[in-house]
Amino acid sequence: MERLIVIGSGPAGLTAAIYAARANLRPLVLAGGMYGGQLMLTTEVENYPGFPDGIQGPDLMLKFREQAERFGARIEDVDVTAVDFARRPLVVRTAGGEREARSVIVATGAAARWLGIPGEERLRGRGVSTCATCDGAFFREKHIVVVGGGDSAMEEALFLTRFGRKVTVVHRRSGLRASKIMTDRVLANEKIEFVWNAVVEEAVGESHLTGLKLRDAENGSRSELAADALFVAIGHDPNTAIFAGQLELDRAGYIVSPGGTSTSAEGVFVAGDVHDIRYKQAITAAGSGCKAAMDAEKYLEALEFAAATRA
Ligand code: NAP
């Protein structure tokens, strides 16, 4: 029986693991088949304190992991397939079997959202992608389209100028949601153009993407934009499918945690993007991982004290 299982291994999960390990809880981290979370799909991270020259996302996550392991966290790169939080001890299932724990921290993060338009799924990996870091290099000297108006879209667009002949940002409104610094950088980049008030209705192409069908959001007129690649950067959805019916979720699927890190199941705590609809930063995720570990530690202390006094 584990005292604490951490599900997830982004900044939230691994910070929780560092704090829990330093509290001698010997946490078991079920890191997922691909550990590290969304920063593994990022290049330069410039706003994580302590790295004045910036750091590559995967390098930062390796440091988190090494730090957690240094204090005794055990990390297994496996996916959690189901949980039973109605039982005591709590049950967490993986392909390898069932694990029991007195407490759990859920830090499963969020995943990139897709447009859900015709052609998108069929052309995934054939010009359509959500990860510029992974796929950008395939489109040297090509025309690349990025859809979205937030920081992710701006970051992707800037990164893709390394490869593309031209990068066009297609946004459904006439104003960006992105931060001022990112907006200024994008507007100053000569390789980046904008198509405003445009909704992408279809990804077109047979064996690979050749273009996009657009609809003007204001006057409804339709047009086609030739493109070799489409990078979808329209935000993220929380990874909570396995917690449906186990934890209270809000309408968007985020875990409800009114008191900070506690959830609707006793002994189950939450950290990071999976309950954060607002900030979604590596540093805020790490901060909430710290809080969740401290709350889990207090919970275990009370639980184990009660058991000892009963015995
Ligand atoms: P976001 O801020 O929620 O922006 C999503 C963008 O996609 C919005 O512009 C939205 O349009 C658009 N969009 C959403 N659904 C769409 C759809 N179905 N069709 C077309 N467009 C759609 O998400 P994000 O850019 O991933 O950023 C999330 C958080 O991470 C933010 O807090 C951001 O600051 C942070 N972040 C920071 C950095 C950085 O600092 N370098 C980098 C990446 C992310 P509307 O504007 O019309 O709603």
Side-chain angles (χ1 to χ4, degrees):
M1 152 110 75
E2 303 290 341
R3 294 175 84 193
L4 171 64
I5 289 178
V6 177
I7 308 176
S9 58
L14 289 176
T15 301
I18 291 167
Y19 272 78
R22 285 177 54 81
N24 278 341
L25 298 179
R26 273 184 52 74
L28 173 65
V29 181
L30 299 176
M34 285 169 57
Y35 93 96
Q38 293 175 70
L39 284 190
M40 299 300 277
L41 308 176
T42 310
T43 47
E44 196 78 3
V45 179
E46 291 181 325
N47 53 9
Y48 200 87
F51 299 93
D53 301 322
I55 181 167
Q56 295 292 307
D59 294 343
L60 180 60
M61 293 324 298
L62 185 60
K63 285 182 186 292
F64 271 70
R65 184 177 178 129
E66 287 171 352
Q67 194 171 351
E69 286 177 327
R70 178 177 154 215
F71 294 110
R74 293 158 298 137
I75 302 181
E76 292 182 21
D77 294 325
V78 294
D79 287 319
V80 171
T81 53
V83 296
D84 188 344
F85 291 157
R87 264 171 53 189
R88 292 292 175 278
L90 302 158
V91 175
V92 176
R93 293 194 186 94
T94 67
E98 198 169 280
R99 314 294 181 93
E100 291 183 337
R102 290 199 189 110
S103 65
V104 168
I105 292 175
V106 174
T108 46
R113 194 179 286 160
W114 293 90
L115 287 165
I117 53 169
E120 182 181 51
E121 199 173 335
R122 185 172 50 81
L123 293 167
R124 267 189 216 175
R126 299 169 181 186
V128 177
S129 170
T130 55
C131 178
T133 331
C134 318
D135 300 326
F138 298 126
F139 302 102
R140 284 180 201 279
E141 291 307 311
K142 303 283 188 192
H143 177 210
I144 301 173
V145 171
V146 175
V147 60
D151 279 327
S152 295
M154 300 308 111
E155 196 173 68
E156 301 278 81
L158 285 165
F159 177 72
L160 288 163
T161 58
R162 297 184 195 186
F163 310 106
R165 168 181 89 248
K166 181 171 92 172
V167 175
T168 302
V169 177
V170 174
H171 184 36
R172 64 185 178 182
R173 293 189 294 126
S174 58
L176 294 172
R177 183 177 293 278
S179 58
K180 171 123 181 48
I181 186 168
M182 297 297 278
T183 301
D184 288 349
R185 279 186 203 171
V186 168
L187 293 176
N189 194 306
E190 287 176 355
K191 272 191 170 181
I192 301 179
E193 290 178 5
F194 282 87
V195 177
W196 300 105
N197 297 312
V199 175
V200 182
E201 287 196 320
E202 187 176 340
V204 182
E206 290 303 321
S207 59
H208 62 274
L209 184 84
T210 54
L212 302 170
K213 288 190 179 167
L214 304 182
R215 178 174 48 82
D216 188 299
E218 285 185 332
N219 62 27
S221 66
R222 291 194 157 76
S223 61
E224 201 159 325
L225 178 68
D228 304 298
L230 168 67
F231 286 86
V232 179
I234 58 168
H236 295 82
D237 289 316
N239 293 322
T240 49
I242 55 169
F243 305 112
Q246 298 288 327
L247 294 176
E248 189 185 343
L249 307 178
D250 69 13
R251 280 175 57 190
Y254 288 84
I255 293 175
V256 174
S257 54
T261 72
S262 54
T263 69
S264 56
E266 199 185 303
V268 180
F269 301 88
V270 64
D273 286 8
V274 73
H275 79 139
D276 174 12
I277 201 159
R278 182 155 175 206
Y279 299 103
K280 297 180 188 159
Q281 302 297 303
I283 186 68
T284 52
S288 75
C290 160
K291 289 185 197 172
M294 293 175 78
D295 289 345
E297 186 193 350
K298 282 264 169 327
Y299 170 78
L300 286 169
E301 213 173 78
L303 192 77
E304 289 164 5
F305 179 76
T309 46
R310 266 200 311 273

